[in-house]
Amino acid sequence: MTMRQALREGKKFFFQNIRSLKAFVFDLDGTLINTFEVYLHSLNEGLKAFGLPPISSKKLTEFLNQATPLEEILKRVAPSKFTDTRTRLSCVEKIKKAYFSALEKVKLLNGAPELLFTLKDKGFKVGIVTGRTTRGEEKWLELKRLGIAEFVDVFVTGFEAPRKPSSGGIRTCIKELGVSPEEAILVGDSEADALASKEAGIPFIGVATGVGKKQKLLALGALYVFQDLRELLKMVKRLDTFNPLE
């Protein structure tokens, strides 16, 4: 089967089964919001404070594609410098400080607010699963700032459940949403998203707005990989008129 045929079949399967879905679960960074450049800058500011050279965007992409935790990134970048927890946590705090000082640069990806509004308008439940380690009211602050908190029913972080590529966060999310794996679908941008969805037993659709490569996401089981959320939005709007043979 060619790549074009695989995409056609994945798209057809998506629309043949979407009517049985009750919930959409989203990854956050690289899927709904664009944080990569801010994260890269913040990470390198932390490394600079410890006299270390910056890492490249390519290297950070590799780490994020596997959902590598920040402390683990530090250990891999400079193992001799970050052997003890106290030093790593000190660097993490500097990275967080740099990130929050540049928070105004974090924006919603194209189509995100319209897609979330449309899903809620059509009666779907919406969840977010992220590897971030915030919790409680703090985890909602960025969503509120970006104006999408009202569209999200459940938000699960890496503090509350095992991080992707483990399926723990997804399982927690769909349980809190009150749906079964067969009634949910995951939307994400990374290899870790694809692997977590497979372990959770829920279908996965990718978006090419983050760190994952289209061909790799398809190879890992993505039903389809949309160029961005606007393309997915168009499909969701067509649910009542879609012909799977088109």
Side-chain angles (χ1 to χ4, degrees):
M1 183 182 293
T2 66
M3 180 65 73
R4 178 172 292 183
Q5 289 172 325
L7 285 170
R8 181 182 174 86
E9 288 302 307
K11 186 177 182 181
K12 181 178 177 181
F13 180 88
F14 170 58
F15 279 99
Q16 286 176 333
N17 289 272
I18 193 171
R19 290 173 178 82
S20 65
L21 296 177
K22 295 182 179 179
F24 276 69
V25 178
F26 291 87
D27 169 57
L28 184 59
D29 299 282
T31 300
L32 291 173
I33 63 177
N34 184 8
T35 52
F36 185 85
E37 293 301 328
V38 174
Y39 192 23
L40 178 63
H41 168 76
S42 303
L43 176 57
N44 283 330
E45 283 295 298
L47 295 175
K48 180 181 177 181
F50 284 80
L52 296 168
I55 71 168
S56 66
S57 59
K58 180 180 179 181
K59 192 64 179 177
L60 180 58
T61 295
E62 293 174 2
F63 285 134
L64 297 183
N65 215 0
Q66 303 302 320
T68 309
L70 181 52
E71 282 194 62
E72 182 62 27
I73 291 176
L74 295 177
K75 287 193 288 184
R76 295 187 190 181
V77 168
S80 60
K81 176 70 75 171
F82 296 116
T83 53
D84 67 286
T85 302
R86 183 176 180 179
T87 304
R88 288 197 305 275
L89 291 179
S90 175
C91 187
V92 166
E93 287 306 309
K94 293 182 183 300
I95 293 169
K96 286 182 176 180
K97 183 178 180 179
Y99 179 87
F100 285 115
S101 69
L103 205 56
E104 73 281 355
K105 295 180 180 179
V106 174
K107 306 293 185 182
L108 288 166
L109 285 163
N110 289 329
E114 298 88 349
L115 175 59
L116 294 176
F117 173 83
T118 302
L119 289 172
K120 295 302 294 180
D121 189 54
K122 287 183 175 291
F124 291 102
K125 294 181 179 181
V126 173
I128 292 178
V129 177
T130 178
R132 295 183 179 203
T133 54
T134 50
R135 54 177 168 164
E137 184 61 26
E138 182 185 356
K139 71 181 182 182
W140 292 94
L141 294 179
E142 194 156 23
L143 300 190
K144 289 180 178 179
R145 182 183 68 83
L146 294 168
I148 60 172
E150 63 184 295
F151 304 124
V152 180
D153 300 297
V154 174
F155 187 10
V156 179
T157 73
F159 181 86
E160 299 161 326
R163 297 166 53 101
K164 293 171 285 186
S166 164
S167 62
I170 296 174
R171 292 180 187 277
T172 298
C173 185
I174 62 176
K175 181 178 180 180
E176 292 186 17
L177 287 171
V179 300
S180 67
E182 295 77 20
E183 296 171 324
I185 193 166
L186 177 71
V187 182
D189 71 293
S190 71
E191 294 176 21
D193 292 322
L195 292 170
S197 68
K198 184 179 294 186
E199 184 177 287
I202 73 171
F204 170 68
I205 50 178
V207 284
T209 51
V211 295
K213 299 294 184 182
K214 183 176 183 177
Q215 291 81 359
K216 184 63 175 180
L217 295 180
L218 289 169
L220 289 173
L223 296 178
Y224 196 81
V225 179
F226 293 98
Q227 285 302 113
D228 58 30
L229 294 177
R230 291 174 297 185
E231 188 178 357
L232 175 55
L233 173 62
K234 289 179 183 178
M235 298 300 182
V236 170
K237 285 183 174 180
R238 293 173 59 201
L239 282 180
D240 297 330
T241 59
F242 180 77
N243 178 0
L245 297 180
E246 287 184 346

